[in-house]
Every structure is written in structure tokens, then in C-alpha cells.
Amino acid sequence: MTNIFAADFESTTNADDCRVWSWGICPVAENPVRENVTLGTTIESFIKWCENEEFIIYFHNLKFDGTFIIYWLLTNGWKWSKELSPRRFSSVISKDSKYYSLSLCWDNGAILTFKDSFKKLPMSVDRIAKSFNLPMSKGWIDYEADRPVGYIPTKEECDYQANDVMIIAAALYLQLQQGMNALTVGADSLNEFKNIMGRDNFTRTFPVLDEHTDNCIRKAYRGGWCLPAKRFQREIVGPVKVYDYNSLYPSMMYDSTLPHGIPIPFVGVPNPTKVYPLWISSATITAKLKKDHLPCIQIKNHSVFIQTEYLEEIDEPTTISFTSVDWELWNEQYDIEVYSWDGGYYFKGGRDFFKVYIDKWMQVKMASTGGLREIAKLHLNSLYGKFATNPDVTSRHPEIVDDRVKLVMNENEKRNSVYTAMGCFITAYARATTVRAAQENYDTFAYADTDSLHLVTDKEPNLRIHPSELNAWKHEYDADYALFWRPKAYIERRVEKGESVYETHIAGLPKAVTQDVRFCDMYEGATFKGKKVPRNVAGGVVLSEVEFCFRT
């Protein structure tokens, strides 16, 4: 790994003087040492350090750091191009502006590639250091301090810079040693699964489907279930018991009946068989929630319905796509009238596709600590989503517009899908598991988010509880008081060692801000300072503080 590095930029926060004031780079190694970290103070010296080298360099936020590199390239005679040649660079930047890699070709023909380590290690640098049990930890510096041109970083700032890159270098080393060489951890997990299953067997079991079939199936793909119970919402309640499902998606993958093979299209009402027990269909329905039942139908991309809301009633005939697993759950929760069945696809059902894969990584997880345990968790939780990867890979490329980097859309581009139906059914089973658990504890249910339940009780709930086994709920903690305001916004207080500990989650607000939020701060129209958003300017990017307004 002599040509693989972890790097990081520190930059000014002044939009009128946006530049790199410190950079650090460290070879990816098992035990990175301070002596092997190179530090510098300008983007020019960083480019000079890289010049004519054929390196792979990881940044933990390539969209941020890479914008400084792109601005320098485009203002110093370089051109963006799909094909690499001397003084040309290419990029992998998605339609929604996610940065995956940048590659540039030096005058000597050497190719330098920048990649995003966050796509491999989707967590903060601080959490990486802790979860990988690394000897170094992330420090702190004053980001807002004045650092004029020619500023010499202090020893504390140099140590901070060095620690950041050593943390990423050590974690990447362990991943790469495990053969995780893809651009993302999801792709790493899919490669690992194909190797275990056998690539020919994978192709036979999960064949590539045509674009039309995949588009029809994809309409039934949904995420997790997140719901505050109305009767407890926006009131301080307690005591509260909190439970998390142990590896929810791997549990569903382990022994559920899951789709495989070429689907068979059908018209009208689904009529499954033993060979084809699963189906995805579209129907036009109305629905009304049963008394004392929890809503779980959500309709996205519709002009009438709020796409984040779980509906208690659909009073006008509405067309919706769903899996057979969803249909069974919906009929438990709602009285449904069907106006028309619009056909769909039957699927063969099978089990144990993922058993060997999950057994392997569950064993690693339970037997390991630090980095290996974290890698096992990543493999267990990252695979299912790859099956539903969007085949639309239309990308963007950078240009300089008004003296700042702007991303311009490229021509539409498609790739083969993986096997979207698998993602549809795994997530459907997961939603059904959480909804049914909440329904079984209806009288105490206060809040759920994908794989968690929050119950207003001091008694053991009607759940299978175990600290680590699949298909069981783990008791996380007890809270004295809680306030569930809306989906993705709640606060809980518990006492540990005689001191109050607050669990506060507000989607869109960084943890550095939410850690100071208390019950009295959570109300309609409350405003919070401390949220920062990136803004491209001349030279690169600045983080500008914006006011966050708390809304229903």
C-alpha cells in the first residue's frame, strides 16, 4: 500500500479569502506514525507534493476538499474530460452532486486518483477513532480563528491535522487488508457476497432484468418506518423504555422467503403459487385505518399526499405499487377497498441466500473488537441496499462559473440494475417487523424509527429480547422523560451515575447543536444557531452558518 494515502485540508472560513491554510497526508498503514505524516500550508504545495505521482489519495469529504483541487486545476490550465490525457482530469460525481472520485493525468502520463473515504467509512473521524479502538483521537481547533496568508500553524494545529489523517489511514488499511477495494462499502459488500455465493451462481439466481421490468418493480421500493404515536406526541411522557432490533436487515435476509430468478408478469388479481409465492403489484385502492391501529401506508411523488406522512385514510381511489409482504401488513392495519388490480410480477421464493454471508460476519462481529468488528457491522448493514441500486448513473462535471466551481449535468446514462426486487422485499419485511412489534405494544407505543421502539412503560414489553441474537430486540436504555415531537425529532432524558444524559435527535441539525437542546427548546418555530452549509466561492468552499427553524 505504498501508493495509497489519507489526506485532509483545513481552510479559511472567509468567503473573500477562501484558501487552504493547512494540509496533511499520511501513508495508509497498519500503525501510522507521526513521523510519516507530511504537512503543508498551501494548495500549491499540496499539488507539488503529488506531482507526477501515481497515487490513490483518500479525503474523508471529497466534495469539500475536492472542490479546492478542482478550482486550482481549472484556474491553472487543466481541463475536465471524460478521457484522461496529460493535463486533463475526470470525475465521478453523481446526479445529486455526490463526489466519488477525481482522477488526473500528469505530463508524464501518471494517473493520480482522489477518492472519498466517507463512502468506505460512513461515520465521523471521531467515531472512526473510537470504534476502531485507535491509539490516536480527533482533537479540536478553532476553525474561525484569523489565519492570514503566510500563517504558520501552531503545534496543536499540526497535531490535530496529523491525527485526522492517521485515523483515516489506519482504518483504511484494515479495510483494504480485507479486500475492500471498491469505491463504496456497499460495493465492497456486494463483491464479498458474490465471492461467497459464486459469481456464476449469483448471475443465475439474480439475473439482470430489462429496464421496463426494473422500473415497475422499483415503484414498490420503500425505506424504513418512522412514526410518533399521536396520543403521546408533543407531550412530555415517561418513563420510557428504548429497544433496538439487532441487525434488522440482516435478520430479514437470514431466513425470510425472498425473490429470485426471472419474474413472471401477470394481469389482474395476484394468484401466487407454491413455486411463485411472492409478488409485486399495482392496484387502485381506498383505505381507512382500523380502530386502535398504527398507520403504515405512505405515498410518495403524488400531488395530493405529503410524501413523509403515514396515511390514516385514502378517501379517493389512488394507484400504488407494493409487495405481497406490504399487502398482508396493510390489510392487518386498514380496511381496504380495491377498485382495480393492475397486474404485476410473480417471483420464485427461496431461503438461505445470505445465510453463509451473514453467519461469517456475525461471527466476526461477536468475536472481534475494534476495527474488525466495525467492518463486520458495515458488511452486515450495507449489502441489502446494493440490490436496489439506481441504474440511472447520469453524472455531473465541474466548470468555473462566476469564479466558483459549478457542477453541470452530463448526458443521461444508464447501467444494469442489480436485482431490485430483493431490496423491495427485504425492506418490506423490515417495516412489517417494526410495525407489528409496535402494534403488539399499542397501548405503550410512543415512537419508532426503522429498527427502534420507544415505549412509555416501566414494564417488560411484549417483545423477544436478547442483547445480540438476530430476530430479537435489544434493550438500549430507560429514560425518565421523553418528548416525541415529529418524525426524526425527539428528546429523552435519563440518569447515569447521578447525572442527566440527554438523547436528542433533530433531523437536519448537527450533533454539536443538538447536544445542548433541552425539552424547553423544542417548540414550533424555535430557532437554533450552529448549523453550517457549504457554499462554493472563489478558491473553493466555505461553511456558512444558517439559522435552523424547528417546524412541524
Side-chain angles (χ1 to χ4, degrees):
M1 299 185 190
T2 54
N3 66 333
I4 304 177
F5 297 83
D8 179 55
F9 289 165
E10 296 298 335
S11 59
T12 58
T13 58
N14 183 355
D16 296 324
D17 181 27
C18 179
R19 56 187 162 76
V20 171
W21 63 266
S22 174
W23 59 265
I25 193 162
C26 176
V28 169
E30 184 174 10
N31 296 301
V33 293
R34 178 68 172 79
E35 290 76 15
N36 289 337
V37 175
T38 302
L39 300 177
T41 57
T42 64
I43 184 72
E44 290 77 13
S45 62
F46 175 79
I47 297 294
K48 185 67 176 177
W49 188 90
C50 299
E51 192 174 14
N52 293 326
E53 298 289 355
E54 200 152 280
F55 292 153
I56 297 173
I57 300 175
Y58 285 90
F59 285 93
H60 205 55
N61 183 353
L62 185 60
K63 184 172 183 176
F64 184 88
D65 301 85
T67 302
F68 287 90
I69 294 170
I70 289 170
Y71 184 89
W72 187 91
L73 292 171
L74 289 175
T75 54
N76 281 272
W78 288 69
K79 302 291 184 184
W80 182 89
S81 174
K82 286 186 177 181
E83 304 296 329
L84 286 176
S85 59
R87 298 185 71 77
R88 297 288 185 271
F89 74 97
S90 63
S91 57
V92 179
I93 302 173
S94 68
K95 191 176 186 177
D96 55 354
S97 301
K98 294 178 181 176
Y99 281 51
Y100 290 86
S101 68
L102 303 171
S103 296
L104 58 90
C105 182
W106 300 111
D107 288 335
N108 66 352
I111 306 297
L112 176 71
T113 301
F114 299 105
K115 297 183 180 182
D116 191 339
S117 54
F118 189 82
K119 305 295 190 299
K120 305 277 289 180
L121 297 155
M123 62 194 84
S124 68
V125 176
D126 181 54
R127 187 183 153 196
I128 291 171
K130 292 173 181 174
S131 61
F132 277 68
N133 289 343
L134 298 177
M136 70 288 288
S137 60
K138 183 173 176 64
W140 180 88
I141 59 171
D142 182 358
Y143 295 99
E144 304 294 334
D146 183 36
R147 296 179 176 94
V149 174
Y151 176 78
I152 305 300
T154 65
K155 180 182 182 303
E156 289 75 20
E157 290 167 340
C158 290
D159 290 343
Y160 171 90
Q161 182 82 81
N163 277 1
D164 265 16
V165 294
M166 288 193 293
I167 289 167
I168 300 300
L172 282 173
Y173 177 85
L174 194 55
Q175 280 196 325
L176 295 171
Q177 283 291 97
Q178 295 293 316
M180 299 172 70
N181 300 306
L183 270 180
T184 69
V185 67
D188 284 325
S189 297
L190 184 60
N191 286 334
E192 165 75 357
F193 177 66
K194 287 180 177 180
N195 291 336
I196 289 174
M197 186 178 191
R199 291 181 178 268
D200 290 341
N201 189 22
F202 180 93
T203 301
R204 288 192 299 270
T205 307
F206 307 116
V208 174
L209 305 180
D210 65 85
E211 184 177 345
H212 173 74
T213 301
D214 181 72
N215 286 340
C216 292
I217 292 169
R218 191 172 295 276
K219 292 176 183 177
Y221 184 54
R222 295 176 177 85
W225 184 66
C226 182
L227 183 78
K230 276 192 172 181
R231 64 189 175 284
F232 293 125
Q233 193 173 3
R234 300 179 198 168
E235 293 183 5
I236 296 177
V237 296
V240 172
K241 286 184 173 292
V242 180
Y243 298 86
D244 281 357
Y245 204 89
N246 295 325
S247 302
L248 176 61
Y249 292 116
S251 292
M252 302 303 104
M253 297 160 70
Y254 195 77
D255 57 7
S256 300
T257 301
L258 293 167
H260 65 100
I262 298 289
I264 304 298
F266 68 86
V267 295
V269 181
N271 185 22
T273 65
K274 285 186 177 180
V275 178
Y276 289 90
L278 303 175
W279 49 267
I280 288 176
S281 183
S282 175
T284 301
I285 65 171
T286 57
K288 186 172 182 179
L289 190 68
K290 294 178 180 179
K291 187 177 186 301
D292 295 337
H293 281 67
L294 298 168
C296 55
I297 297 179
Q298 191 180 62
I299 300 178
K300 295 183 179 292
N301 303 317
H302 195 287
S303 59
V304 174
F305 303 106
I306 301 171
Q307 65 175 3
T308 57
E309 181 181 350
Y310 289 98
L311 303 173
E312 295 186 5
E313 186 172 7
I314 303 173
D315 55 5
E316 292 292 331
T318 301
T319 302
I320 184 171
S321 296
F322 46 87
T323 69
S324 48
V325 175
D326 292 312
W327 184 244
E328 182 179 356
L329 175 68
W330 291 357
N331 278 277
E332 293 171 13
Q333 304 301 105
Y334 295 84
D335 293 316
I336 299 177
E337 183 174 352
V338 180
Y339 287 77
S340 69
W341 283 97
D342 305 322
Y345 295 89
Y346 294 125
F347 295 87
K348 290 181 179 179
R351 294 174 179 265
D352 299 337
F353 299 118
F354 302 100
K355 189 173 183 180
V356 175
Y357 176 90
I358 292 172
D359 281 342
K360 172 183 175 178
W361 289 108
M362 281 297 293
Q363 185 175 1
V364 172
K365 177 183 173 183
M366 290 187 289
S368 305
T369 59
L372 274 179
R373 186 174 190 276
E374 198 64 35
I375 286 172
K377 289 167 62 179
L378 288 169
H379 273 315
L380 288 167
N381 294 321
S382 301
L383 178 59
Y384 82 93
K386 284 300 293 182
F387 281 87
T389 300
N390 194 331
D392 183 353
V393 289
T394 303
S395 61
R396 293 176 179 266
H397 73 272
E399 294 180 0
I400 295 292
V401 178
D402 297 329
D403 202 25
R404 62 184 178 88
V405 174
K406 181 180 179 181
L407 298 180
V408 179
M409 195 75 73
N410 293 328
E411 294 180 358
N412 289 342
E413 187 177 354
K414 299 275 188 173
R415 65 180 171 190
N416 287 335
S417 58
V418 181
Y419 196 75
T420 306
M422 182 62 77
C424 292
F425 276 91
I426 291 171
T427 53
Y429 280 121
R431 286 190 301 274
T433 296
T434 307
V435 172
R436 287 183 177 126
Q439 188 64 50
E440 283 290 313
N441 295 274
Y442 179 82
D443 290 340
T444 61
F445 169 71
Y447 185 82
D449 188 354
T450 307
D451 63 351
S452 68
L453 286 180
H454 303 245
L455 308 175
V456 182
T457 183
D458 59 357
K459 298 177 181 178
E460 288 296 308
N462 185 15
L463 298 170
R464 179 175 176 260
I465 300 171
H466 191 277
S468 60
E469 288 182 358
L470 294 177
N471 295 302
W473 295 86
K474 176 185 177 182
H475 179 220
E476 284 292 312
Y477 58 84
D478 292 334
D480 298 326
Y481 304 103
L483 174 60
F484 303 101
W485 189 267
R486 59 167 170 76
K488 307 289 185 182
Y490 67 88
I491 179 172
E492 294 169 322
R493 173 197 177 267
R494 66 183 189 272
V495 176
E496 288 185 2
K497 298 178 181 179
E499 294 189 2
S500 294
V501 177
Y502 291 88
E503 287 284 340
T504 307
H505 298 263
I506 301 176
L509 202 58
K511 279 189 175 182
V513 179
T514 59
Q515 68 183 5
D516 295 323
V517 173
R518 298 295 179 261
F519 288 87
C520 61
D521 301 318
M522 196 175 286
Y523 58 88
E524 181 73 13
T527 57
F528 302 96
K529 295 182 178 180
K531 180 180 173 68
K532 294 185 177 182
V533 297
R535 179 164 60 96
N536 287 9
V537 297
V541 188
V542 294
L543 296 176
S544 300
E545 185 168 308
V546 296
E547 189 175 73
F548 181 93
C549 187
F550 188 73
R551 298 293 187 194
T552 303

